[in-house]
Amino acid sequence: MTVLVTGGAGYIGSHTVVELLNAGHETIIVDDLSNAKLDVIDRIETITGKRPAFYQFDAADKERLRDVFANHKIDAAIHFAAFKAVGESVRKPLQYYRNNIDSALTLLEVMEEFGCKKLVFSSSATVYGPNNPHPYKEEMPAIQSSSPYGWTKVMIERILTDYVTAHPDFCAILLRYFNPIGAHESGLLGDDPNGIPNNLMPYICRVAAGQLEKLTIFGGDYPTPDGTCQRDYLHVVDLAVGHLKALEYAENHNGVEAINLGTGNGISVLELVTAFEKANNIKLPYVIGPRRDGDLPAFWADAEKARNLLGWEASHSVKDMCRSSWLFAKGGTPESSFS
Ligand code: NAD
Ligand code: WQD
């Protein structure tokens, strides 16, 4: 297949491009590098021995997107391109609605012009909102979120659902990711946010590297076994493989399907901190601080649908996630670190 990957230079996109190339698919990346670095393309080539086609522009630029579709016979698209920082989206809602919604609409319009009918969309567990009990199941109402970022996912899911109603020969797979962490085993690709990280694992890595003094665990008085929040952390390579499975499914099906990609297990912040310390033989300074606004005490995926429909399940352990995250963060190689 020839697959367009918007946002393919980013954290999840780059890992997915590696899996696509390794599986023999032709891959075309469109990324404006608003949250990625150009050398990711070289790194993908180093890992796979193949260089993906790369275009640097905003996916909402219709003329340039048309050119890409005119120059390549694209069979399917995976739409990762989006802004994703929850807190920033609260401060800059227009920027988030403009970027995330515009790029999705433009892609869909150009796909329609060129008769491309297979789309995999990066959605998020955030669409389950604050009111569903966990584990989250796909048939639960996914119509509410707690940030402008989250609302863009709810809205794009709606747009795609309405589009499929009008075009029943189209296939849209809405992949609802839980908490991706970890990095490629080569140590060449991983999560490298600009500035001070918001997400837990990049923050842990900066503390481990001595770039930040200590981790503040947001809340130790939640109604969970150890008082800290529980999440469903999954390895980014498992998540990337989930996209290949979704594409395979989309090749032979029409309609819209929302599918959770998670492990089905919740672990707590403290458990992750302890696992990181053990996996990497590092002591991590931390304090328990106040709760962070908007955090839910606990949620994880019901992972049955992905297993039944896609034949996908997560296979990497928490230890793998912790070791690979640290390997990437310190810029090492597997040989130098863990032999
Ligand atoms: P990321 O920021 O690393 O990757 C997104 C990529 O899209 C970046 O390379 C950025 O430069 C690019 N981009 C942004 N807007 C663009 C535009 N208009 N045109 C072209 N390129 C653009 O983020 P990620 O963690 O890899 O997330 C990928 C997708 O998965 C996003 O849609 C995100 O919302 C979603 N998601 C992420 C998580 C997570 O925890 N990382 C969880 C659930 C869903
Ligand atoms: C995980 C846990 C924090 C940082 C977010 C988005 C969600 C999705 C994934 C895109 C929480 C705790 C964190 C720190 C901490 N993204 N924590 N100290 O909030 O579950 O989900 O990323 O769709 O939409 O909301 O992930 O990594 O920020 O936090 O104690 O310095 O770690 O309280 O319990 P979250 P996270």
Side-chain angles (χ1 to χ4, degrees):
M1 268 179 143
T2 299
V3 185
L4 172 68
V5 185
T6 72
Y11 172 44
I12 305 168
S14 59
H15 288 84
T16 303
V17 168
V18 165
E19 297 304 320
L20 286 166
L21 291 171
N22 283 342
H25 297 293
E26 196 180 321
T27 308
I28 297 141
I29 296 175
V30 168
D31 195 303
D32 62 4
L33 300 184
S34 54
N35 196 35
K37 298 187 179 77
L38 188 56
D39 73 350
V40 165
I41 310 300
D42 297 332
R43 289 165 181 245
I44 291 172
E45 188 177 12
T46 304
I47 293 168
T48 63
K50 296 174 195 164
R51 194 166 184 86
F54 172 65
Y55 298 90
Q56 184 182 348
F57 65 87
D58 181 342
D61 184 334
K62 199 179 227 176
E63 285 312 313
R64 297 196 66 180
L65 203 56
R66 276 192 182 120
D67 285 347
V68 172
F69 274 84
N71 290 331
H72 302 269
K73 171 86 196 67
I74 293 171
D75 301 303
I78 308 180
H79 184 48
F80 292 105
F83 294 155
K84 64 161 181 177
V86 173
E88 185 182 59
S89 80
V90 176
R91 295 190 302 278
K92 302 177 180 173
L94 295 184
Q95 206 169 304
Y96 272 69
Y97 285 116
R98 172 65 74 191
N99 189 55
N100 294 5
I101 309 275
D102 251 14
S103 56
L105 284 174
T106 305
L107 174 62
L108 211 48
E109 285 169 352
V110 177
M111 286 177 73
E112 184 175 294
E113 273 180 44
F114 285 85
C116 181
K117 296 184 166 85
K118 310 289 177 193
L119 176 65
V120 176
F121 171 62
S122 295
S123 190
S124 165
T126 190
V127 300
Y128 289 106
N131 297 324
N132 285 305
H134 58 266
Y136 292 154
K137 297 183 199 303
E138 289 83 350
E139 63 269 22
M140 289 174 173
I143 48 170
Q144 197 184 352
S145 194
S146 47
S147 69
Y149 163 75
W151 276 107
T152 69
K153 298 298 180 191
V154 173
M155 288 174 185
I156 296 167
E157 284 204 0
R158 181 76 248 164
I159 289 166
L160 289 170
T161 304
D162 290 344
Y163 185 75
V164 170
T165 303
H167 300 86
D169 59 341
F170 193 90
C171 185
I173 309 288
L174 319 174
L175 294 180
R176 295 177 178 162
Y177 315 156
F178 281 67
N179 286 59
I181 59 172
H184 193 264
E185 61 178 6
S186 61
L188 292 173
L189 299 175
D191 195 5
D192 185 17
N194 296 325
I196 296 180
N198 299 304
N199 294 116
L200 180 59
M201 184 53 90
Y203 202 104
I204 286 177
C205 287
R206 299 271 171 97
V207 174
Q211 293 161 3
L212 292 168
E213 189 198 337
K214 59 177 183 300
L215 171 72
T216 300
I217 295 181
F218 298 139
D221 58 353
Y222 283 101
T224 59
D226 65 18
T228 67
C229 293
Q230 294 169 302
R231 295 288 182 271
D232 186 339
Y233 298 96
L234 81 156
H235 198 294
V236 66
V237 172
D238 283 330
L239 183 57
V241 171
H243 290 75
L244 261 72
K245 297 282 188 186
L247 278 178
E248 280 168 21
Y249 179 86
E251 237 184 324
N252 303 309
H253 294 84
N254 301 333
V256 62
E257 289 290 352
I259 304 175
N260 291 337
L261 292 183
T263 65
N265 302 309
I267 72 160
S268 74
V269 179
L270 260 178
E271 285 171 325
L272 190 66
V273 167
T274 307
F276 186 93
E277 291 185 322
K278 201 165 157 216
N280 297 311
N281 199 19
I282 286 175
K283 197 83 201 119
L284 210 66
Y286 70 84
V287 292
I288 308 271
R291 294 181 177 194
R292 181 173 69 177
D293 274 357
D295 275 343
L296 297 174
F299 61 83
W300 51 87
D302 180 313
E304 270 302 294
K305 187 170 177 184
R307 216 178 344 262
N308 294 336
L309 217 61
L310 306 182
W312 176 90
E313 65 186 341
S315 65
H316 288 77
S317 65
V318 174
K319 184 177 174 186
D320 293 334
M321 300 179 211
C322 292
R323 282 170 71 114
S324 59
S325 296
W326 177 229
L327 174 67
F328 172 72
K330 66 184 178 147
T333 61
E335 294 72 31
S336 64
S337 322
F338 302 120
S339 54

